[in-house]
Each structure stands twice: as structure tokens, then as C-alpha cells.
Amino acid sequence: MQNSLKRMWALVGVIAAVAAVAATSAGASHKAGPTIVIWTDQDRAAAVTKVANDWAGSSGATIKVVTKNFGDIRDNLGTVAAADAPDVITAAHDWTGQLAANGLVEPIFLSSATKANFPAYTLNAFSYGTAVKKLYGVPAAVENIGLVVNTKLAKVPTTFAQLEKEALAVKKAKHQTFGIAVQQGTGGDAYHMYPFFSGLGGYIFGTNKAGNLDPSDIGVASPTLIKNAGLIDKWNKEGLISSKVDGSAAQNAFLKQQTAFWVTGPWNADTLKKSGLSFKVVQVPAIVKPSVPFLGVQGFMVTKFATAHGVDSAAKDLVTNYMAQASAQTQLAAANGRPPANTKAKSSDPVLQQFSNASKGGVPMPNIPQMNSVWSDLGQAWVRSTKGSGSMAAAKSFKAAARSIASKIG
């Protein structure tokens, strides 16, 4: 009898153990996967949602996409409550220094095989560190401005002298007040003016022996630029460039064929294709140096909040292992209207390819926090020296800008 009772209780124990395992397994199978919150802008929202959900379908995660104005993503990240914060953001590379220095984004790691699919400058653009550089973002798209030429009004210029001559001829024929439609306005626009700045020998920051940007080496009034600043005074006098032209005026003048040359970027690719005009996009011809554009790299970053939310591993898997893939970037490029960063991704748009070709030798916008002290003063240096009557001599204007920038950086 005693042995029978022992066998009975042993059997009950086995049954209970099996039931417990089964219950645990059932609970695990119904346990919700991580929820990844992504902040992006309206232009990218649909594509980001689709691509992220493709990843979520195989990972068991849930994707929540929050749409914001692009610039607000960076600004809001520093003030948002943890409960409402994103785990992943769509970002511009030049936010990297500020966000990394403030501890708002986490370093990420890419395999050597994955890195090989990206131009080195796109990875450098998302890298930051005063001693040791770390990667903080996966590049997804690249953009830059180019010179759009109305090929029925002018020949595609191969030299700056040719560009100047033809622009002024169209200006005269069309009774226009400027030759090249490049936007500035009262607030200035150092980004759109950068090809002229680089072509004259200007630069923003030099680099130190470690290869990092050196904010103490400011090239806004470099000796080469000052030596050639008389050309800016000449352009101002003849009306080749006018700071009175804002973005709307530049676009309208080109679309209405009142000027043959427009400095703009791939965000206007659809506008150009719908215009019915015959056009070609090239790089601004060299002045005394190559007139290279600023390069903007956009991508994805993992925020510090991913760790607080317990989804750090999943968020990094999404960004580093999925968003970096050529297939994902092909989809993003098609929706975003920007050439993909991954060289194995495909963009079949010939206009985007022309803009991409115009990026040769371009300079990534500095991603260190000190760049915030440059934009306004550099833009105003151009405004003061190209506003027509009453303009300041360019050499004086750019020297004043350099002093102001240096004082702000300290």
C-alpha cells in the first residue's frame, strides 16, 4: 500500500511538472514582442513604416511610427519624456556631434562586410569622438545640390567663365536682375552658397593630426578665399548672384525660363521632371578650386531610450542588420527621392543619378556641435557682399564672419 501511494504521488508530480512546462510554453508563445517607436518625417513615414514592418514580421516586434517635422526630431529628442521617447530616429548626419555629446544616441557596430557597401565618407559622416571615433548611425540616403541647366537657353558650362558669360547673357535678354538662381534671402543660405565658397578656396574647419575636425581651424576667411574675394565683388556688381533671391524666387525664375541656371537639390527632382523643360544637372564648374557641394547624409540612429525601454537589442538589430541592407535602402530611396547610401541599392531615376554625379569630391557638412555657430555668420557674409547697391566688400564681410564664429566657439 505504501509503495502504491509513493508511485501515485510520483506520477502526480510528473504530471504537474509537464503541465507547468506546457503552461510556460503557452505563455511564451503569446507573449508580445518588443514595441519599437520610430520618429521620422512625413516624407519618409510610409517607406519607413513598410520597411520596419517587414523586419518586424520576422522578429515578432511591433512598430510604432510617429511623424514629426524633420528638424523637430533633433530638437525634441532632448526634451521628450522617457515614456514618449523614440527608440530609433531618422536623422541627418550633421546632428551626430550634438546628439552624441549629449548622450542622446548610442554607438552602433557594423560588420566589415556591411561597411564595405557604404562609401567611407557616409560612415565618417555619422562618426564622432574627440579621441576615438564611434559610429552612431547607419547611412540610408545621400543628397547634394547641383547646377541645373536649361539646355534650350544655354549650353552646359564646363568652365566658370563660360557659366558666367552665358548666365549674364540670359540675364540681359530676359531683363532679369540676377544671372544664377541660387537662393539666399535676408537670412542667408550658406548651404546653397557652398559651391561658390569652396570654389573660391574657403573651408569650414580644418582637421587635426588624428583626422578629426578641428574647430580652432576656421577657414571662413582663409587666405585663398580672401585673395579671391574680389571675384565676389565682381559678381555682385554685374548681378551674377543676388542675395535678394530667396528659394521661391529662384525656383520661379528657372521654371518660367527667366534664367538658365538654378542651384538646387534632389528634393526638386519631381518639380523638374514635371516642368517640361529640357535640363541637365551638373556640378558648378571650378572657380579657382573645385566648386564642390556640401554632402548631406541621412540615416537611422538608436537613441538612449531604447535601453530604458528594454528594446536596445531589437532596435539595433533593426537599424544595423535590416535598414543597412540594399533591399531596404532601395525601397527607402524610391519613396524618399534621394540616392541610396548603400552602393548595392538601386535607384532607377536618371535625375537622381545626375544629382549624384554632381556630388563628386563633395564635403560632408561638419557634424561637430561647433557647426551650429557657423551657419548664420557664413550666410550673412554672403548676404552682405551680394545684395547689390550698398554691399560690403567681400573680404571685409568674410573676415567679420570668421571673427564672429571664432568668438562664439571660444
Side-chain angles (χ1 to χ4, degrees):
M1 180 69 177
Q2 190 175 16
N3 290 336
S4 296
L5 286 172
K6 286 182 177 179
R7 286 195 297 272
M8 182 184 74
W9 285 113
L11 180 59
V12 170
V14 170
I15 292 171
V18 171
V21 171
T24 301
S25 299
S29 65
H30 289 91
K31 185 179 180 181
T35 295
I36 307 294
V37 179
I38 304 174
W39 280 4
T40 190
D41 65 326
Q42 186 62 47
D43 291 344
R44 300 167 180 80
V48 169
T49 300
K50 181 183 183 306
V51 171
N53 277 319
D54 288 345
W55 167 83
S58 59
S59 68
T62 299
I63 298 297
K64 179 182 178 182
V65 174
V66 177
T67 302
K68 289 184 170 288
N69 291 327
F70 191 60
D72 290 344
I73 294 175
R74 175 185 59 180
D75 297 339
N76 292 170
L77 192 62
T79 59
V80 66
D84 303 319
D87 307 300
V88 173
I89 58 170
T90 301
H93 84 269
D94 54 319
W95 302 353
T96 303
Q98 178 182 338
L99 296 181
N102 292 336
L104 293 170
V105 290
E106 297 184 357
I108 58 174
F109 301 92
L110 297 179
S111 68
S112 297
T114 300
K115 286 182 178 180
N117 295 329
F118 293 90
Y121 80 83
T122 63
L123 297 172
N124 288 336
F126 273 109
S127 299
Y128 176 76
T130 54
V132 178
K133 279 190 174 183
K134 296 179 180 179
L135 182 65
Y136 285 90
V138 167
V142 180
E143 66 182 16
N144 58 272
I145 54 177
L147 179 70
V148 187
V149 183
N150 182 322
T151 54
K152 287 193 174 181
L153 291 180
K155 295 179 180 179
V156 177
T158 56
T159 66
F160 196 86
Q162 181 188 356
L163 168 60
E164 185 176 12
K165 180 180 179 181
E166 297 215 23
L168 292 175
V170 175
K171 170 182 176 290
K172 182 178 180 180
K174 300 291 184 178
H175 307 287
Q176 188 54 272
T177 58
F178 55 89
I180 300 174
V182 52
Q183 70 181 61
Q184 292 188 72
T186 56
D189 195 319
Y191 177 81
H192 279 82
M193 293 304 296
Y194 192 82
F196 303 93
F197 177 72
S198 61
L200 290 168
Y203 64 91
I204 305 297
F205 299 123
T207 54
N208 57 26
K209 292 180 179 179
N212 295 326
L213 291 170
D214 182 358
S216 69
D217 180 2
I218 301 168
V220 169
S222 72
T224 303
L225 184 138
I226 296 304
K227 178 182 177 181
N228 295 295
L231 289 174
I232 302 175
D233 299 329
K234 177 174 179 284
W235 301 340
N236 177 62
K237 185 176 181 180
E238 65 193 12
L240 183 68
I241 292 169
S242 172
S243 64
K244 295 176 183 178
V245 178
D246 60 14
S248 178
Q251 176 174 311
N252 289 338
F254 186 82
L255 296 181
K256 292 178 180 179
Q257 301 194 70
Q258 295 170 346
T259 181
F261 303 100
W262 182 23
V263 176
T264 191
W267 46 88
N268 276 316
D270 286 343
T271 298
L272 287 166
K273 286 181 283 189
K274 293 175 183 176
S275 70
L277 301 175
S278 297
F279 66 89
K280 185 173 182 180
V281 183
V282 295
Q283 190 171 98
V284 175
I287 306 174
V288 294
K289 298 280 187 179
S291 301
V292 298
F294 260 149
L295 301 179
V297 186
Q298 299 160 0
F300 297 93
M301 291 176 151
V302 177
T303 76
K304 72 170 186 177
F305 300 103
T307 297
H309 297 161
V311 297
D312 184 66
S313 178
K316 287 182 176 178
D317 181 60
L318 167 63
V319 169
T320 63
N321 294 327
Y322 198 80
M323 291 300 196
Q325 292 181 9
S327 58
Q329 298 214 354
T330 297
Q331 293 182 63
L332 291 168
N336 187 30
R338 305 289 192 277
N342 187 316
T343 57
K344 291 188 175 181
K346 304 298 180 184
S347 175
S348 58
D349 190 320
V351 177
L352 291 184
Q353 188 58 53
Q354 288 182 41
F355 275 110
S356 184
N357 293 343
S359 73
K360 184 178 180 181
V363 177
M365 288 182 286
N367 66 5
I368 57 177
Q370 292 87 346
M371 185 60 191
N372 292 331
S373 299
V374 174
W375 290 112
S376 177
D377 282 303
L378 180 54
Q380 286 302 314
W382 281 105
V383 170
R384 289 191 298 263
S385 56
T386 60
K387 65 180 182 180
S389 178
S391 290
M392 180 185 291
K396 182 179 179 181
S397 184
F398 280 83
K399 286 178 180 178
R403 288 193 299 271
S404 179
I405 292 167
S407 68
K408 290 177 181 178
I409 291 175

